[in-house]
Amino acid sequence: MTFDQMLERVRYDGAYPTRERAEEVVGAVLAALGRQLTGEERVDLAARLPVEAALVFTAQIPGTEQLTGWGFVKDLATRTGGTPATARWDAGAVLASVAQLAGPGLLTRVLAQLPPGYGLLFGRAELTQTAGRQPLSTSCR
């Protein structure tokens, strides 16, 4: 996927009125993700992004404290001057494209590195086990 194709997909998925607006959103979300992701997953993801997107993503220095998915959305809203609802929409529109570029294997590794709450932002269900409940067994006795 080229950067132009990525922008068009984000523009369509996010229902943004212009290519310029889609580019602003892509930049903000990739910068925010760049502040959260470290290690091999960061390097591997950057290699799969279009060059222009990878430059925005890797220009960020990862923070010392990882944010939960909700913290990520709130931080994005603060930095862009938007509402949490708008930031959640923006994150979903961009991270769906990132998930496609990453592929299932790398996306699984990325989500394993990040705190809870990112799965839905990337368009993937996030199942958790409730405390005190045992997983269902598939064996017959």
Side-chain angles (χ1 to χ4, degrees):
M1 180 183 299
T2 67
F3 188 62
D4 286 335
Q5 289 169 329
M6 182 182 190
L7 290 179
E8 282 307 311
R9 171 144 185 215
V10 169
R11 181 178 176 196
Y12 178 80
D13 289 350
Y16 300 110
T18 64
R19 181 182 188 280
E20 292 74 23
R21 177 66 183 132
E23 192 167 0
E24 289 172 17
V25 170
V26 166
V29 173
L30 288 178
L33 184 61
R35 289 188 291 276
Q36 295 302 306
L37 202 58
T38 61
E40 286 183 37
E41 290 76 17
R42 179 183 175 93
V43 173
D44 292 348
L45 182 58
R48 295 191 188 181
L49 294 173
V51 173
E52 300 89 337
L55 290 172
V56 172
F57 173 69
T58 58
Q60 302 303 307
I61 298 170
T64 56
E65 182 181 335
Q66 283 191 317
L67 301 172
T68 64
W70 176 237
F72 177 86
V73 168
K74 290 191 304 185
D75 181 63
L76 184 60
T78 299
R79 290 175 185 270
T80 61
T83 66
T86 302
R88 167 61 182 94
W89 181 268
D90 294 345
V94 174
L95 295 179
S97 290
V98 170
Q100 180 185 8
L101 289 164
L106 178 55
L107 181 58
T108 297
R109 289 177 31 223
V110 165
L111 290 173
Q113 186 191 104
L114 295 169
Y118 283 85
L120 291 175
L121 296 175
F122 281 94
R124 187 181 270 190
E126 195 167 302
L127 304 176
T128 58
Q129 184 174 326
T130 306
R133 303 221 30 199
Q134 297 298 318
L136 295 175
S137 173
T138 57
S139 64
C140 296
R141 295 181 193 216

